[in-house]
């Protein structure tokens, strides 16, 4: 499995597969980044958004690629979704659980 640190790497991979007529599936998971964070009082977290992680796997018959993105503002997530709109139309998309995603990336 290849991994990319840039959304453009994910898009380039998807576009290459689309150009070759290769079908596949996109698996998406969004969850809190650190499940083991200590619980803070409301005063400590006032006005702060929790750090989230968006994880995406594009799995095809030929190759698989993995991308993860840390964010804490809804705007950031919207921006990524806009950038990936084209590939979400081509590949079937499935929202998966943290456990399922962990199994995919192992």
């Amino acid at each position: 499995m290849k991994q990319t640190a840039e959304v453009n790497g994910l898009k380039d991979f998807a576009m290459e597969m689309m150009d070759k007529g290769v079908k596949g599936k996109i698996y998406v998971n969004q969850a809190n980044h650190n499940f083991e964070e200590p619980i803070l009082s409301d005063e400590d977290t006032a006005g702060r958004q929790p750090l989230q992680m968006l994880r995406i796997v594009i799995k095809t018959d030929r190759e698989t690629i993995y991308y993860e993105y840390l964010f804490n503002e809804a705007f950031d997530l919207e921006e990524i979704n806009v950038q990936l709109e084209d590939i979400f139309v081509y590949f079937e998309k499935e929202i998966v659980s943290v456990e399922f995603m962990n199994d995919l990336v192992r």
Side-chain angles (χ1 to χ4, degrees):
M1 175 183 306
K2 296 188 330 185
Q3 184 168 357
T4 183
E6 300 292 326
V7 71
N8 286 336
L10 189 68
K11 277 188 80 166
D12 291 346
F13 172 86
M15 298 305 258
E16 182 182 335
M17 293 297 118
M18 288 172 17
D19 289 345
K20 293 178 179 177
V22 176
K23 292 291 187 179
K25 192 169 191 177
I26 298 176
Y27 298 93
V28 179
N29 173 258
Q30 176 192 338
N32 287 337
H33 172 57
N34 189 350
F35 300 106
E36 304 301 322
E37 277 185 6
I39 296 177
L40 304 173
S41 70
D42 288 342
E43 294 152 5
D44 294 336
T45 59
R48 205 178 111 210
Q49 297 290 329
L51 189 60
Q52 297 278 306
M53 181 183 289
L54 174 68
R55 299 191 297 169
I56 299 173
V57 170
I58 301 177
K59 188 173 187 172
T60 71
D61 293 338
R62 293 187 184 181
E63 291 182 73
T64 300
I65 191 167
Y66 173 67
Y67 170 74
E68 63 183 36
Y69 177 70
L70 292 172
F71 68 97
N72 60 0
E73 298 290 332
F75 173 79
D76 296 329
L77 180 60
E78 290 171 21
E79 182 70 24
I80 291 287
N81 280 318
V82 166
Q83 291 181 44
L84 298 178
E85 223 168 61
D86 295 344
I87 64 173
F88 286 157
V89 170
Y90 182 79
F91 293 102
E92 179 185 347
K93 180 173 128 180
E94 182 177 339
I95 307 299
V96 297
S97 68
V98 171
E99 295 80 16
F100 188 92
M101 183 60 76
N102 289 344
D103 288 344
L104 273 178
V105 298
R106 279 190 197 142

